[in-house]
Amino acid sequence: MKILVTGGAGFIGGNFVHYMVEKYPEDMIVNLDALTYAGNLETCKSVEDANNYKFVKGDIANRDFIFNLFEEEKFDVVINFAAESHVDRSIEDPGIFVQTNVMGTTTLLDACVKYGITRYHQVSTDEVYGDLPLDRPDLFFTEETPLHTSSPYSSSKASADLFVLSYHRTFGLPVSVSRCSNNYGPYHFPEKLIPLMISRALADGSLPVYGNGENVRDWLHVYDHCVAIDLIVRKGRVGEVYNVGGHNERTNLEVVQTILKALDKPESLITYVQDRKGHDMRYAIDPEKLENELGWVPKYNFDTGIQQTIQWYLDNKDWWQNILSGDYQNYFETMYKEKGRV
Ligand code: NAD
Ligand code: TYD
């Protein structure tokens, strides 16, 4: 099979590329990525010379480029990870989220309709369901939970999901959608909570916790997300949505305290800063459909996964220090220092 993976120089796409290149030597993995601020070819370095791997630089929203690529490559399967993915950035500049997440997705879908594929898979997020109240721990997101987005990011992802499902109904395109909870693990860009806190704690910098730190996220190791996507693409039912999550809810404060403890750093580094606008309170996934239909069982729980991840950041300082010394630094200045958050 020839499989197009978009966004494979990013966090989850990069982990997925590693997983697929190693697991399926008989398949060809084509990684298409625009190399935005979040794309980093260093992430794919160890598979660069593999016979079943190829990198192509390009924008999923560039229609001529995408149609030419599909004509040349004749993909069997398309798995779309490419996206603008950071909520804080979507609050600053929503337009690029519409451009990449909505226009990019519909461009890929149009190419799939024209050139034919056996499966188009959309990598989506639990954020399309909005949030749950903290005082109702009995509530979880199921695939039937209504879409009720809070941020420009989640709105663009929900919009893309609706286009994907409409292309199944209208054009008979064989699609699937996965909606996963927050991921963590190797190659996570240090603007997101966990890698940001690890890198700042190692530098003895302040750790900016938004609001009171009581917001809850449901953390899943990126490896388990990759396994789930592979299962859904190969065995999941066409036209279906599958939620992905491992019941690992933690408050942001608990996550930060775990990181500080593992690195033997003092809690005095924690700084409570101005809250995010529209900040979702709690995400929590019910993964029963994926478990019952496809037999998915996560390998990591948060306690084992976070230790493995912290160790990865300790062992791979070059990877994230190169990022911190580049554009990311300007971003940190604008988002935190100029807004008086640190
Ligand atoms: P990321 O920001 O780390 O990576 C995104 C990648 O997409 C980057 O390599 C970037 O260069 C590329 N890209 C951006 N715009 C592009 C364009 N126009 N054309 C081609 N490539 C482009 O994101 P991530 O955290 O790896 O997320 C990947 C996907 O998973 C996203 O669709 C996201 O919505 C979804 N998701 C993420 C999480 C999470 O916790 N990170 C959880 C659930 C779902
Ligand atoms: P993030 O990693 O941006 O993921 P998402 O917003 O998609 O869930 O943030 C995870 C949680 O951590 C979220 O509740 C916001 C919070 N947060 C902080 O408290 N401080 C920070 O510096 C960042 C980046 C996030």
Side-chain angles (χ1 to χ4, degrees), residues 279-290:
H279 198 172
D280 280 337
M281 285 315 300
R282 171 176 169 248
Y283 302 143
I285 282 275
D286 174 353
E288 266 188 34
K289 181 174 176 183
L290 180 66

PDB file of all heavy atoms in Angstrom, residues 279-290:
ATOM      1  N   HIS A 279     -11.192  29.141  28.367  1.00  0.00           N
ATOM      2  CA  HIS A 279     -10.457  27.925  28.765  1.00  0.00           C
ATOM      3  C   HIS A 279     -11.393  26.759  29.110  1.00  0.00           C
ATOM      4  O   HIS A 279     -12.161  26.831  30.077  1.00  0.00           O
ATOM      5  CB  HIS A 279      -9.604  28.285  29.996  1.00  0.00           C
ATOM      6  CG  HIS A 279      -8.511  27.332  30.271  1.00  0.00           C
ATOM      7  ND1 HIS A 279      -7.547  27.568  31.227  1.00  0.00           N
ATOM      8  CD2 HIS A 279      -8.193  26.134  29.733  1.00  0.00           C
ATOM      9  CE1 HIS A 279      -6.697  26.569  31.256  1.00  0.00           C
ATOM     10  NE2 HIS A 279      -7.070  25.677  30.363  1.00  0.00           N
ATOM     11  N   ASP A 280     -11.303  25.659  28.356  1.00  0.00           N
ATOM     12  CA  ASP A 280     -12.120  24.470  28.632  1.00  0.00           C
ATOM     13  C   ASP A 280     -11.754  23.879  29.985  1.00  0.00           C
ATOM     14  O   ASP A 280     -10.566  23.744  30.312  1.00  0.00           O
ATOM     15  CB  ASP A 280     -11.901  23.414  27.537  1.00  0.00           C
ATOM     16  CG  ASP A 280     -12.703  23.707  26.273  1.00  0.00           C
ATOM     17  OD1 ASP A 280     -13.716  24.430  26.366  1.00  0.00           O
ATOM     18  OD2 ASP A 280     -12.305  23.209  25.207  1.00  0.00           O
ATOM     19  N   MET A 281     -12.783  23.484  30.779  1.00  0.00           N
ATOM     20  CA  MET A 281     -12.532  22.985  32.142  1.00  0.00           C
ATOM     21  C   MET A 281     -12.027  21.551  32.154  1.00  0.00           C
ATOM     22  O   MET A 281     -11.025  21.232  32.790  1.00  0.00           O
ATOM     23  CB  MET A 281     -13.812  23.060  32.995  1.00  0.00           C
ATOM     24  CG  MET A 281     -14.182  24.454  33.452  1.00  0.00           C
ATOM     25  SD  MET A 281     -12.824  25.455  34.095  1.00  0.00           S
ATOM     26  CE  MET A 281     -12.234  24.497  35.467  1.00  0.00           C
ATOM     27  N   ARG A 282     -12.782  20.667  31.499  1.00  0.00           N
ATOM     28  CA  ARG A 282     -12.408  19.243  31.617  1.00  0.00           C
ATOM     29  C   ARG A 282     -12.684  18.511  30.311  1.00  0.00           C
ATOM     30  O   ARG A 282     -13.743  18.714  29.696  1.00  0.00           O
ATOM     31  CB  ARG A 282     -13.220  18.593  32.744  1.00  0.00           C
ATOM     32  CG  ARG A 282     -13.080  17.088  32.827  1.00  0.00           C
ATOM     33  CD  ARG A 282     -13.825  16.494  34.027  1.00  0.00           C
ATOM     34  NE  ARG A 282     -13.870  15.044  33.919  1.00  0.00           N
ATOM     35  CZ  ARG A 282     -14.986  14.321  33.700  1.00  0.00           C
ATOM     36  NH1 ARG A 282     -16.163  14.916  33.589  1.00  0.00           N
ATOM     37  NH2 ARG A 282     -14.915  13.015  33.597  1.00  0.00           N
ATOM     38  N   TYR A 283     -11.716  17.659  29.912  1.00  0.00           N
ATOM     39  CA  TYR A 283     -11.932  16.720  28.808  1.00  0.00           C
ATOM     40  C   TYR A 283     -11.835  15.316  29.387  1.00  0.00           C
ATOM     41  O   TYR A 283     -10.960  15.049  30.226  1.00  0.00           O
ATOM     42  CB  TYR A 283     -10.839  16.836  27.728  1.00  0.00           C
ATOM     43  CG  TYR A 283     -10.664  18.199  27.089  1.00  0.00           C
ATOM     44  CD1 TYR A 283      -9.389  18.645  26.752  1.00  0.00           C
ATOM     45  CD2 TYR A 283     -11.747  19.010  26.782  1.00  0.00           C
ATOM     46  CE1 TYR A 283      -9.192  19.875  26.140  1.00  0.00           C
ATOM     47  CE2 TYR A 283     -11.556  20.244  26.161  1.00  0.00           C
ATOM     48  CZ  TYR A 283     -10.286  20.670  25.845  1.00  0.00           C
ATOM     49  OH  TYR A 283     -10.097  21.880  25.230  1.00  0.00           O
ATOM     50  N   ALA A 284     -12.712  14.421  28.930  1.00  0.00           N
ATOM     51  CA  ALA A 284     -12.645  13.027  29.382  1.00  0.00           C
ATOM     52  C   ALA A 284     -13.316  12.136  28.341  1.00  0.00           C
ATOM     53  O   ALA A 284     -14.472  12.357  27.977  1.00  0.00           O
ATOM     54  CB  ALA A 284     -13.333  12.871  30.736  1.00  0.00           C
ATOM     55  N   ILE A 285     -12.577  11.170  27.862  1.00  0.00           N
ATOM     56  CA  ILE A 285     -13.026  10.321  26.750  1.00  0.00           C
ATOM     57  C   ILE A 285     -13.577   8.992  27.259  1.00  0.00           C
ATOM     58  O   ILE A 285     -12.987   8.371  28.139  1.00  0.00           O
ATOM     59  CB  ILE A 285     -11.806  10.025  25.834  1.00  0.00           C
ATOM     60  CG1 ILE A 285     -11.491  11.209  24.926  1.00  0.00           C
ATOM     61  CG2 ILE A 285     -11.994   8.758  25.031  1.00  0.00           C
ATOM     62  CD1 ILE A 285     -12.280  11.273  23.657  1.00  0.00           C
ATOM     63  N   ASP A 286     -14.682   8.573  26.649  1.00  0.00           N
ATOM     64  CA  ASP A 286     -15.154   7.197  26.810  1.00  0.00           C
ATOM     65  C   ASP A 286     -14.662   6.421  25.575  1.00  0.00           C
ATOM     66  O   ASP A 286     -15.175   6.627  24.471  1.00  0.00           O
ATOM     67  CB  ASP A 286     -16.686   7.189  26.872  1.00  0.00           C
ATOM     68  CG  ASP A 286     -17.251   5.779  26.888  1.00  0.00           C
ATOM     69  OD1 ASP A 286     -16.476   4.814  26.717  1.00  0.00           O
ATOM     70  OD2 ASP A 286     -18.470   5.645  27.065  1.00  0.00           O
ATOM     71  N   PRO A 287     -13.679   5.513  25.751  1.00  0.00           N
ATOM     72  CA  PRO A 287     -13.091   4.822  24.586  1.00  0.00           C
ATOM     73  C   PRO A 287     -13.719   3.456  24.293  1.00  0.00           C
ATOM     74  O   PRO A 287     -13.133   2.647  23.564  1.00  0.00           O
ATOM     75  CB  PRO A 287     -11.633   4.642  25.034  1.00  0.00           C
ATOM     76  CG  PRO A 287     -11.731   4.443  26.520  1.00  0.00           C
ATOM     77  CD  PRO A 287     -12.973   5.176  26.997  1.00  0.00           C
ATOM     78  N   GLU A 288     -14.920   3.195  24.845  1.00  0.00           N
ATOM     79  CA  GLU A 288     -15.480   1.831  24.762  1.00  0.00           C
ATOM     80  C   GLU A 288     -15.668   1.320  23.338  1.00  0.00           C
ATOM     81  O   GLU A 288     -15.464   0.149  23.064  1.00  0.00           O
ATOM     82  CB  GLU A 288     -16.825   1.773  25.488  1.00  0.00           C
ATOM     83  CG  GLU A 288     -16.656   1.310  26.912  1.00  0.00           C
ATOM     84  CD  GLU A 288     -17.978   1.055  27.603  1.00  0.00           C
ATOM     85  OE1 GLU A 288     -18.944   0.616  26.950  1.00  0.00           O
ATOM     86  OE2 GLU A 288     -18.036   1.323  28.814  1.00  0.00           O
ATOM     87  N   LYS A 289     -16.060   2.213  22.431  1.00  0.00           N
ATOM     88  CA  LYS A 289     -16.313   1.762  21.049  1.00  0.00           C
ATOM     89  C   LYS A 289     -15.018   1.199  20.445  1.00  0.00           C
ATOM     90  O   LYS A 289     -15.011   0.125  19.838  1.00  0.00           O
ATOM     91  CB  LYS A 289     -16.831   2.943  20.215  1.00  0.00           C
ATOM     92  CG  LYS A 289     -17.162   2.600  18.778  1.00  0.00           C
ATOM     93  CD  LYS A 289     -17.792   3.801  18.088  1.00  0.00           C
ATOM     94  CE  LYS A 289     -18.046   3.537  16.619  1.00  0.00           C
ATOM     95  NZ  LYS A 289     -18.600   4.728  15.942  1.00  0.00           N
ATOM     96  N   LEU A 290     -13.934   1.921  20.634  1.00  0.00           N
ATOM     97  CA  LEU A 290     -12.634   1.489  20.095  1.00  0.00           C
ATOM     98  C   LEU A 290     -12.173   0.195  20.767  1.00  0.00           C
ATOM     99  O   LEU A 290     -11.656  -0.726  20.103  1.00  0.00           O
ATOM    100  CB  LEU A 290     -11.612   2.607  20.351  1.00  0.00           C
ATOM    101  CG  LEU A 290     -10.189   2.392  19.887  1.00  0.00           C
ATOM    102  CD1 LEU A 290     -10.118   2.332  18.373  1.00  0.00           C
ATOM    103  CD2 LEU A 290      -9.298   3.544  20.387  1.00  0.00           C
TER     104      LEU A 290
END
